[in-house]
mmCIF file of all heavy atoms in Angstrom:
data_model
loop_
_atom_site.group_PDB
_atom_site.id
_atom_site.type_symbol
_atom_site.label_atom_id
_atom_site.label_comp_id
_atom_site.label_asym_id
_atom_site.label_seq_id
_atom_site.Cartn_x
_atom_site.Cartn_y
_atom_site.Cartn_z
ATOM 1 N N LEU A 68 145.611 94.288 70.569
ATOM 2 C CA LEU A 68 145.062 93.323 71.530
ATOM 3 C C LEU A 68 145.115 91.917 70.969
ATOM 4 O O LEU A 68 145.176 91.717 69.759
ATOM 5 C CB LEU A 68 143.615 93.686 71.859
ATOM 6 C CG LEU A 68 143.403 94.903 72.752
ATOM 7 C CD1 LEU A 68 141.921 95.271 72.796
ATOM 8 C CD2 LEU A 68 143.918 94.638 74.155
ATOM 9 N N PHE A 98 122.755 99.116 64.292
ATOM 10 C CA PHE A 98 122.282 100.429 63.853
ATOM 11 C C PHE A 98 120.934 100.359 63.164
ATOM 12 O O PHE A 98 120.110 101.266 63.291
ATOM 13 C CB PHE A 98 123.287 101.081 62.896
ATOM 14 C CG PHE A 98 124.356 101.868 63.608
ATOM 15 C CD1 PHE A 98 125.593 101.299 63.884
ATOM 16 C CD2 PHE A 98 124.116 103.176 64.017
ATOM 17 C CE1 PHE A 98 126.576 102.020 64.548
ATOM 18 C CE2 PHE A 98 125.102 103.903 64.680
ATOM 19 C CZ PHE A 98 126.333 103.336 64.947
ATOM 20 N N ALA A 174 142.367 101.229 89.599
ATOM 21 C CA ALA A 174 143.224 100.352 88.789
ATOM 22 C C ALA A 174 144.680 100.508 89.207
ATOM 23 O O ALA A 174 145.435 99.525 89.245
ATOM 24 C CB ALA A 174 143.067 100.691 87.311
ATOM 25 N N VAL A 185 142.888 107.599 75.816
ATOM 26 C CA VAL A 185 142.074 108.820 75.766
ATOM 27 C C VAL A 185 142.279 109.493 74.419
ATOM 28 O O VAL A 185 143.401 109.857 74.064
ATOM 29 C CB VAL A 185 142.482 109.791 76.900
ATOM 30 C CG1 VAL A 185 141.703 111.093 76.782
ATOM 31 C CG2 VAL A 185 142.260 109.142 78.255
ATOM 32 N N LEU A 254 136.501 114.472 62.921
ATOM 33 C CA LEU A 254 136.169 114.961 61.559
ATOM 34 C C LEU A 254 134.696 114.745 61.225
ATOM 35 O O LEU A 254 134.325 114.451 60.093
ATOM 36 C CB LEU A 254 137.063 114.245 60.523
ATOM 37 C CG LEU A 254 138.565 114.502 60.670
ATOM 38 C CD1 LEU A 254 139.337 113.757 59.583
ATOM 39 C CD2 LEU A 254 138.874 116.000 60.601
ATOM 40 N N ASP A 294 150.122 99.998 46.219
ATOM 41 C CA ASP A 294 150.066 100.911 45.075
ATOM 42 C C ASP A 294 148.612 101.293 44.822
ATOM 43 O O ASP A 294 147.704 100.805 45.508
ATOM 44 C CB ASP A 294 150.692 100.260 43.835
ATOM 45 C CG ASP A 294 150.006 98.955 43.486
ATOM 46 O OD1 ASP A 294 148.903 98.668 44.055
ATOM 47 O OD2 ASP A 294 150.543 98.193 42.662
#
Side-chain angles (χ1 to χ4, degrees):
Chain A
L68 287 171
F98 273 96
V185 176
L254 298 181
D294 58 12

